[in-house]
Structure formats: C-alpha cells, structure tokens
Amino acid sequence: MSRQRTFVSWALAGISATVFVIAASAKVGTPSGEYVVQDPPTQQDPPDPAGRGGRQGAGGGANQAPRPYAQVIPATAKTDDGVFKVHRVGDNLFFEIPANELNKDFVWNVSIKKTTIGAGFGGQRVSSRVMRWTKRGDRILLEAKDYSIIADPADPVSIAVADANYPAIIRTLPVAAYAANGDAVVDVTALVMDGQGAPPEFSARTAVGGRGTDNTRSFLERAVSFPENVNVEATLTFTGGAAEGGGEGGGGGRGAGGRAGMRGPSGTVVVHHSLMKLPEKPMMARNFDERVGFTTEGLVDFGTDEHRSVRKRIITRFRLEKKDPNAAISEPVKPIVFYIDPATPAKWVEHVKRGIESWQPAFEAAGFRNAIQAKTSPTDDPEWSGEDARFSMVRWVPTTAEAQSSITDPRSGEILSATIDVYPNIQSFGPTWYFVQAAPVDKRAQQLPLPDAINGELVRFQVAHQIGHALGFPHNLKASSAYSIANIRNPAFVKDKGFVASIMDDARFNYVAQPEDGIDPADLIPKLGPYDKFAVTWGYKPVPTARTPEQEKTALDQLARQQDADPALRFSTEGAAASDPGENAEAVGDADAVAATALGLKNLTKVAELMLKGTSTKVGDPWDDLEAVHVRLVGQWSTEMSHVVKVVGGIESQQIHIGQQGTRFKTVPKVKQTDAVQFLMANAFQVPAFMTQTDVLRRIQASGAVDRVRTAQAAILTSLLQNQRIDRMSEQMTIDGPTIAYSPLQFLTDVRTGVWSEVGKPGAITIYRRNLQRAYLDAMDQKLNGTPAASAEIRMLVKGELRGLDRQLQAAVAVPGLEENTRRHFVDAREEIATILDPRVPRPAPDPAAAAAAGGRGRGGLR
C-alpha cells in the first residue's frame, strides 16, 4: 500500500518570519503580569469613537471596518471575473477572493515587461513565490509557503514538523467589503503599485536600482482574471538616489516635498504580476538520480522508516500524460508549448521554431508524439500577455547573455511555465566564434558577415540549447568526451550522432574536424544527441505500474545502467568537474584532449591566414571585426590549452551506484599526464605566430601584443601549477603508486626544465620567454608567501625547485659572451628567488608602470 505524503511549509529565506506564541495561561497584560491571548476583532466590533474604525492593522495603522459593498465597488467599477474577481475603481485595484480559493496555493510571479534603458530589461524575472490567502476575522493574510520539508501524516513526527513550519505572514489586508455571498474584498493596490509599505517580495525596485516610487508618474494599466490566474500590469516610475541633504526625501520623509530632492528617476518600467493557482492535484514527483542530469527541488523528509531526516531531491520537469496510456507512442493530454516573442525578427522566427521542436524526437523516444510545440504569440487577443505565468516563452531580449527561468510547483517539481531569452548579440557573438572555430572547414564562413543560412542555424542551436535548460536539463560537460577523435572526424558518424553526445554540453562548434575530412558544414553545429534522448526518456517516460516515486526506482535504475555499456549516455559526475579532463567547458574531443588540441591548433593557424581578408569587407568601416576575431582567436587558443592542463593530475570518472561494477574515480594514466606537460611546453609556452602578426596588430592597436602573450601564458602556467592539482597528485602517488600516478616531484621538475629550457644554452632569451619565466617565479612566490599558503608538502617541493633553479642560474650567469639582457634577467631572477625563499630579504621597489599594467596585482599580475 502506498504511503501518502503531507507537505508542509518552511519560512522562506529573505522574507519576514512570523512567531506565534501561546502561553499556558490564558491571560495577558493583567496587573499581575499574566497575559491574555485575544481573538482578532470581528466584523461586528463597534467603530472606534474617534472615527478610525477601531482596528489596528498589521503595520500598526488603523483599519476601517468593512463598508457596504456598493460603497467600495460602485457600479462604475471595471470588473473582470475569473479565479478572483478583479475590480478597478479609479486608481485602486481590489481582489474579490472567493471563500473556496482561500487556503489554496498560488505562485505569484513578478517580471518586467518594458523598461527604460539601463533599468533592467524586458522579460526580466523579479520574483516568484508560493503564496496563500487566508482569512482571520476581518483581515486577509497573505502567507508565504515553502515545501522544503515533508513528513508522513501517519508518523507522529509530522506534528512536530508542522509546528516547526509555521507560515510567514508577509502582509495583512483589511477586508474592505463583503460581497452578498460572503466573499471578501481587499484593496491590493499597494502590492502591485510598489507603494509605501509594499512587501519587498513583490517589489521591482531592487531589480532596476530604484529607491522610491513616484505616484504622480505611476499608473495601473490593466487587470484581467482568468480561470486559473490573474494578470496585473502597472507602469511604475522609480526615483533614484538620496537627495544631497542626506536621507531619502531630503530628510523630510517620503512625501512629495521629499521627492523634490531626488537626483532623478532610475527609470520607468512596466511591471507584470501574474498569480497562478497551483494544480489541485500535484503531479507525482520523480526522485533525482545523480547519473542523469536534471535541475532539482530539495527537501528534507522527516518521516522515513529510517527515523532520521533524509535529504532528497526531486527533478523539475513539465507534466506530460498520455492521451492513450496503453499506446507505445501517444499524443500528450497537454503538450509543452513555447510561444515565440513577437519582437523576434521575422527572418529568424522559423529558426526559433526549429530550435524548439528539435526536441520532438527525444520525446518520441519517451513515448510522446508532438510533445513540444512552437507557436507564434497571438496578436489579436488584447488580454494575452507573454508575461502571463501560464505561458512558456522564447523572448528576443536585448541583453548580452542568454538566460532562462521557470516557475515550478515545489510540491512535485512540475515546471508550470518557462521563459528563455535569446539575445540579439548572437549575431556578433555567434558568427565571431563560428568564424574562428569553423571557417577552415566551412568555406561559407571565411568572410564576415556570415550569410543568413549560417546565422539561422546559430539561432536554432542557441534556442535548442536553452530549451533544454527550460525542460529541466543542466549542462552535461561529460558529453564532449563520449566520442573518439576518429569519430568526430567521420562524416557519417557525425551526421548520425553529432560531434558531442548532447546539445546540453557547453561545446560550440567542431573545431577538431579538418578540411580534408569532408564533414558536411551543417554538422559543425551541435544538435540533439544520444544523451538527450536518453535523459528525456529517463525523466519523462511514464512508469505505468508505479504509484509513488519510490516504486519507480527499479525501472529508472535499469535505464540508468545503460550508461555502463554506452559512454554517450553518461552525465557529469558529481564533485568531479574540477578534476575530470573529460568534463571541460567549450570542449570537443575531451576523450583525448592533447590530440584534439593539436588538431585545433592546426585550424587556428588556418584561421589566422584568413583573418585579415575575411574581416575586410566594407570600405570605410573601422577594423572592429578584425579586432573581435583576433581577441576570439587568442581566447580559443587559451581555452584549448586549458583542456590539456586538466589532464595533469586528472581523475577519470563515471557516476555509478551500488550494484554497478567498477569505481567512480580513476587516476588518469601517468603517460597521458606526462604527454600533456610536454605538449604544453612545446605549444602553450611558445609564442603562437598569430599573436604577433604584424599586418593584424598594426591595424587594431598601438601596443599590447607582448602583454597579451604574457597574460595568456601566465594564466595557463598558473592553472597548471594550482595547489589543488599538486595536492591531488600527491594523493594519487600515495594511493596508486608510481606505476600509475605522476609524481608531483617529477612534475615540478619537468615544468621547471621546460619553462627555463634556455638556461645554460647560448643565445638570447626573448621578452616573451622572460615574461613566462617571471610568471613562474610569481607562481612559486604565491605558494610560499601568498594567502592562503600552500600545503607543507607543496612548500617543501617548491623550495627544492627554487634552490635547484638558483644553482642553474648561478652557473649560467658565468658563461662568457652571454647576451646582456639575458644575463641581467638571470641576475634578477636569482634576486627574486632569494627574496621568495627568505621574505625578510628586501624586495626592490616596484616599477609603477609595470604595477599599473598588472592591475595592481603584484609581480607578473598573478596575485
């Protein structure tokens, strides 16, 4: 027999908490010191003799007694009926709340619909909270609800859980009037107009940087009620910083006189409120499994048979139910619909639609046909709004980064609606990246601006990726290591499965493929892969025999075990992302990062040859495109090198559970680690030719090339010498032994030998190499004298390396005929080593110009 669960609430973080104390005695405030708990006043209480209504509101102000309905809601009121009746009376807004909607959960979503430049952006989510209306005498209480702790109602502990979970009251509203059927009418103007005393939970001021609201420039725009939700929109003008006289209002309070001292408005925005009723019957939750990536809702179960609190996570997902439960593939009862923002440029609408509906095959694998659909936003319905919490949207938003948000039912993890932002900047961000990563293979991309055929595919890709997030899927960085280098370069394989196993990886384009491979350019951009179909199946496919989340466990475990035989179905291992070289951001071919990066460098060389011609298209224009491509080229080089760095001291991982063979973590073989270090010495710590191209540099800047190389190489070297990496290598050496593990002593010796390879050899050392060697000394200094200090094991190893280097430099300085810059560099390095080893040795005064160039971060800019 299944056990039913009762969900209880917890005070939400960031809002006021309410404490209700009941004494054993029934008396309060008597001369004897006893206290009496009094009931709140009722509708029949006599009016205050002073004419104030006789009631104290929650904020300490006086509340009027309920008045006759017709006085509050006159015949001239504009009324809309739905889940609540909403009444507009002049500039005031009233909710008429039916008795059967009291004590029901609503999600109250606040977002910005339109805005002044610089005051947030259209579509920005302000807040989303679960609220409940309750009645106490002649007051309506707005309570915050949270469902993060649960208990079985049959377990006595459920009483204690409920007692510890008293709802927070964030606002009390006096009943203004009663309808003929007894429904309460309350004035909610302050809640939606961000007026004085409005709860911060609903305020858009923080989002736009405002301090106050100017009522003379704020207006209630519309209020409509539907069967399941209420939408309200208001134009609000927020005032800016405090007056010169000091506090808000120039020390004269918050009235009109005080506002005269403001520095000016922060901006005018249209704020959208949407109150949506949560489902009467929550969807059955599905418990999270670390082997499959989903965003989650966390909760604590105090009512398990284990008689201890158990932390649980349930996945977030849309509700999908089959019209025909017996069919292998069925239409859903209610499909997932994403509406396309009417602000989307017409030429991209079809690509946005394709991005949304590209997920249909994944849902077919889970048993649903046409489960996800794209629709254009209605233009002939004045009551339709893209900010309506019932609707999922793909918005075209002027922001520099994509984003997504969702409204979920915390009782079950059901995603009630979701919004993703597609940013117009995609037309510069996307094409620049595509030129740098794909131009050698896709001849259409060898000239900027890119043709619309490519730009449309970039839109499709970005939308599809963000839709994945909206469906509940986080990034899966493991997907970039699922395929071999040979497969990534195989046209037939890539056509069928893509070059990464999931569109939810953070990969961009196939920079490993070479021109001679014959890859179809259409396959250079990510698309849904095997993992995506697997994850949708695991998360959305019904388990017909299960009536509780616990009863699904066996079936879902069998699905997850498919990962054992197929690496393409694996998800990032919890806790391993920082150390697993198969889980890199913006990576392709992580299964062999050295080979992938070697191929990537070949393509970067080709891109460097195309760069000048490919960005010089419009006579009379500045060299902005050339500079953007050059910056991206340097960034791509640094990114690919960072993938190789991660191999050193790396841990290969697979998330497995009890009953599966093998272990979760395994040290990367020593030979792979040593190969990675030698690759870095030969490539990362030599100057790439494209960073010093005279015909490019002299067109984009007067100076800075040397510093750019220094910064890029220093970042790679600092990452390679991370304390965490060296400590991990020490542990690997202890657990796995020298046959498998790469000794940190040998590693540090190999790095020193590679970075200082010119010591003892004839010839001058270039400024690029001198800067690299200075960066090495800075990294060593940080380990011995920085904060936090490195472990004792690292300090011991570093001191030995510095002393060994000092002996080398001492001998090198004495070599006859040594080039003068090189000799001085060696002498300076010895002085630095002496200071690092003994901080009491005075340091030379810093060069102000060098310090400024390094951003005030110390020698080499690494601190």
Side-chain angles (χ1 to χ4, degrees):
M1 184 179 219
S2 66
R3 296 195 302 169
Q4 294 182 341
R5 301 273 183 204
T6 296
F7 292 83
V8 293
S9 66
W10 190 258
L12 288 172
I15 64 175
S16 58
T18 301
V19 180
F20 186 45
V21 180
I22 303 179
S25 170
K27 297 181 178 180
V28 186
T30 63
S32 63
E34 296 176 307
Y35 289 84
V36 177
V37 177
Q38 298 177 330
D39 289 331
T42 63
Q43 186 176 352
Q44 288 74 34
D45 286 344
D48 181 92
R52 295 173 299 179
R55 287 175 177 75
Q56 287 295 109
N63 295 330
Q64 286 187 337
R67 293 181 290 154
Y69 186 86
Q71 290 184 15
V72 178
I73 309 297
T76 55
K78 297 180 179 179
T79 298
D80 198 33
D81 199 359
V83 63
F84 300 162
K85 285 183 179 179
V86 297
H87 307 282
R88 285 193 62 175
V89 181
D91 292 331
N92 293 327
L93 180 66
F94 295 86
F95 284 175
E96 185 173 319
I97 306 175
N100 61 0
E101 297 300 344
L102 295 172
N103 304 307
K104 301 288 181 68
D105 288 340
F106 286 77
V107 61
W108 191 318
N109 186 66
V110 184
S111 60
I112 296 175
K113 182 176 182 179
K114 300 177 183 179
T115 182
T116 305
I117 293 176
F121 57 87
Q124 178 180 351
R125 182 69 50 84
V126 173
S127 66
S128 182
R129 298 181 181 275
V130 177
M131 303 292 179
R132 178 178 288 187
W133 306 93
T134 64
K135 190 172 184 295
R136 189 177 180 88
D138 286 339
R139 290 178 293 176
I140 295 294
L141 279 56
L142 188 57
E143 298 178 343
K145 298 289 291 181
D146 190 344
Y147 290 92
S148 60
I149 65 174
I150 62 173
D152 189 328
D155 194 318
V157 75
S158 64
I159 300 173
V161 169
D163 289 346
N165 204 22
Y166 200 71
I169 300 171
I170 67 169
R171 189 66 185 266
T172 62
L173 302 172
V175 175
Y178 287 97
N181 62 0
D183 290 346
V185 177
V186 292
D187 188 339
V188 297
T189 309
L191 299 183
V192 298
M193 295 300 293
D194 227 324
Q196 182 175 352
E201 289 79 8
F202 306 132
S203 177
R205 280 184 241 177
T206 302
V208 300
R211 288 175 58 90
T213 308
D214 187 342
N215 293 333
T216 65
R217 293 177 286 167
S218 299
F219 312 95
L220 180 65
E221 298 290 357
R222 71 183 191 123
V224 292
S225 189
F226 300 95
E228 296 179 0
N229 66 304
V230 174
N231 291 347
V232 179
E233 288 181 1
T235 294
L236 305 179
T237 298
F238 296 114
T239 53
E244 293 181 4
E248 186 172 5
R254 301 171 67 100
R259 285 197 187 95
M262 291 292 174
R263 293 195 184 110
S266 290
T268 299
V269 300
V270 176
V271 178
H272 182 97
H273 295 258
S274 189
L275 289 75
M276 182 164 63
K277 185 178 178 181
L278 291 183
E280 294 282 356
K281 181 180 179 181
M283 176 184 74
M284 189 175 81
R286 180 159 290 183
N287 289 331
F288 174 65
D289 187 320
E290 292 84 354
R291 293 171 291 184
V292 189
F294 271 89
T295 53
T296 62
E297 293 276 352
L299 51 88
V300 180
D301 191 345
F302 285 88
T304 68
D305 292 336
E306 301 172 58
H307 293 289
R308 63 182 178 90
S309 61
V310 176
R311 294 188 178 276
K312 293 184 176 181
R313 285 185 283 174
I314 57 176
I315 67 172
T316 60
R317 56 180 179 155
F318 282 88
R319 185 190 296 233
L320 280 182
E321 299 166 337
K322 289 184 174 182
K323 283 185 178 179
D324 183 355
N326 299 317
I329 300 180
S330 168
E331 297 273 347
V333 173
K334 180 182 178 182
I336 303 167
V337 177
F338 277 88
Y339 289 91
I340 300 173
D341 191 341
T344 305
K347 66 179 179 179
W348 305 130
V349 169
E350 186 60 32
H351 299 286
V352 171
K353 183 176 186 293
R354 287 177 52 230
I356 297 168
E357 296 184 345
S358 66
W359 283 89
Q360 287 186 353
F363 282 98
E364 288 180 4
F368 294 95
R369 182 179 295 109
N370 297 323
I372 184 167
Q373 301 173 14
K375 293 184 179 181
T376 55
S377 299
T379 57
D380 55 354
D381 183 354
E383 294 191 343
W384 193 94
S385 172
E387 290 73 32
D388 189 332
R390 294 176 301 166
F391 302 133
S392 295
M393 287 287 298
V394 177
R395 300 183 60 90
W396 197 266
V397 176
T399 180
T400 56
E402 76 273 24
Q404 68 286 321
S405 59
S406 61
I407 300 173
T408 61
D409 184 344
R411 303 169 301 175
S412 63
E414 179 183 355
I415 300 173
L416 303 172
S417 65
T419 297
I420 71 170
D421 297 335
V422 180
Y423 52 107
N425 195 43
I426 191 174
Q427 295 179 63
S428 59
F429 164 83
T432 302
W433 282 61
Y434 192 78
F435 182 92
V436 170
Q437 293 189 4
V441 177
D442 187 352
K443 293 183 177 179
R444 300 173 303 165
Q446 293 179 359
Q447 192 82 52
L448 291 179
L450 298 181
D452 281 353
I454 297 178
N455 283 328
E457 284 303 302
L458 300 184
V459 171
R460 186 272 310 162
F461 158 51
Q462 290 290 337
V463 170
H465 179 88
Q466 294 303 317
I467 288 290
H469 286 312
L471 293 171
F473 302 117
H475 285 136
N476 179 13
L477 301 183
K478 180 75 75 177
S480 58
S481 61
Y483 301 150
S484 69
I485 299 299
N487 284 338
I488 291 170
R489 300 180 64 184
N490 183 317
F493 182 92
V494 171
K495 178 68 70 176
D496 181 38
K497 298 181 181 296
F499 59 90
V500 288
S502 172
I503 200 168
M504 299 315 299
D505 199 303
D506 199 31
R508 307 295 175 181
F509 314 113
N510 190 348
Y511 61 78
V512 172
Q514 300 295 298
E516 63 269 20
D517 294 339
I519 299 286
D520 183 346
D523 298 325
L524 297 174
I525 301 175
K527 57 188 176 184
L528 262 70
Y531 172 81
D532 304 308
K533 295 179 181 179
F534 163 77
V536 169
T537 298
W538 188 94
Y540 281 87
K541 186 175 183 178
V543 180
T545 59
R547 295 294 178 267
T548 68
E550 287 72 21
Q551 292 176 3
E552 294 184 322
K553 184 173 182 179
T554 299
L556 297 178
D557 176 65
Q558 291 302 315
L559 274 175
R561 290 188 184 214
Q562 295 177 15
Q563 297 172 338
D564 291 344
D566 189 351
L569 306 184
R570 295 175 188 170
F571 180 70
S572 301
T573 306
E574 285 206 341
S579 57
D580 189 338
E583 298 188 16
N584 285 311
E586 299 176 9
V588 176
D590 275 3
D592 188 342
V594 170
T597 301
L599 292 166
L601 294 183
K602 289 179 65 177
N603 277 336
L604 290 183
T605 300
K606 297 181 178 72
V607 172
E609 295 170 354
L610 297 168
M611 182 166 44
L612 183 57
K613 181 180 178 182
T615 58
S616 309
T617 57
K618 297 180 180 178
V619 175
D621 278 3
W623 296 99
D624 292 349
D625 283 348
L626 178 62
E627 184 172 7
V629 168
H630 180 75
V631 169
R632 177 85 295 276
L633 197 62
V634 174
Q636 181 65 26
W637 177 86
S638 298
T639 296
E640 293 184 35
M641 290 302 173
S642 72
H643 300 158
V644 178
V645 168
K646 208 168 177 181
V647 175
V648 182
I651 295 286
E652 296 173 348
S653 68
Q654 179 192 346
Q655 185 69 38
I656 61 172
H657 285 188
I658 297 171
Q660 293 176 266
Q661 299 297 313
T663 59
R664 290 174 67 200
F665 306 110
K666 183 172 64 175
T667 297
V668 172
K670 177 180 179 179
V671 65
K672 281 191 173 183
Q673 296 191 50
T674 55
D675 285 351
V677 169
Q678 295 309 312
F679 181 89
L680 292 170
M681 295 305 156
N683 294 278
F685 301 139
Q686 301 298 327
V687 182
F690 67 80
M691 284 195 191
T692 58
Q693 281 181 261
T694 302
D695 56 351
V696 171
L697 295 178
R698 288 305 181 218
R699 284 177 168 85
I700 64 175
Q701 61 184 172
S703 63
V706 171
D707 189 62
R708 184 180 298 109
V709 174
R710 179 196 62 77
T711 300
Q713 291 185 331
I716 295 167
L717 181 62
T718 301
S719 178
L720 181 64
L721 293 172
Q722 275 182 342
N723 291 342
Q724 299 95 319
R725 189 183 316 282
I726 301 172
D727 282 334
R728 191 164 58 243
M729 295 173 75
S730 295
E731 182 174 294
Q732 292 171 354
M733 190 69 178
T734 301
I735 295 174
D736 299 314
T739 302
I740 296 175
Y742 187 13
S743 159
L745 174 59
Q746 185 61 53
F747 163 64
L748 289 173
T749 300
D750 290 345
V751 172
R752 170 168 56 88
T753 302
V755 171
W756 295 88
S757 60
E758 296 91 343
V759 176
K761 297 178 181 178
I765 301 179
T766 68
I767 190 172
Y768 299 110
R769 291 288 290 182
R770 296 199 299 268
N771 280 336
L772 174 68
Q773 290 160 3
R774 290 168 185 140
Y776 173 91
L777 293 177
D778 277 315
M780 297 296 104
D781 183 18
Q782 182 66 30
K783 296 182 187 310
L784 295 183
N785 304 308
T787 302
S791 65
E793 185 74 10
I794 292 177
R795 290 167 62 83
M796 175 267 291
L797 293 169
V798 167
K799 289 177 181 178
E801 289 304 305
L802 289 175
R803 291 183 181 115
L805 176 59
D806 185 61
R807 290 192 294 271
Q808 289 180 273
L809 293 171
Q810 184 179 18
V813 169
V815 173
L818 187 64
E819 193 265 338
E820 183 60 18
N821 281 326
T822 301
R823 187 189 69 79
R824 294 187 180 191
H825 171 58
F826 287 168
V827 170
D828 180 65
R830 292 198 66 205
E831 292 174 353
E832 285 290 289
I833 291 172
T835 305
I836 293 169
L837 290 172
D838 186 356
R840 294 171 296 179
V841 175
R843 294 178 182 271
D847 178 354
R857 294 176 294 176
R859 292 193 317 278
L862 292 178
R863 293 185 188 173

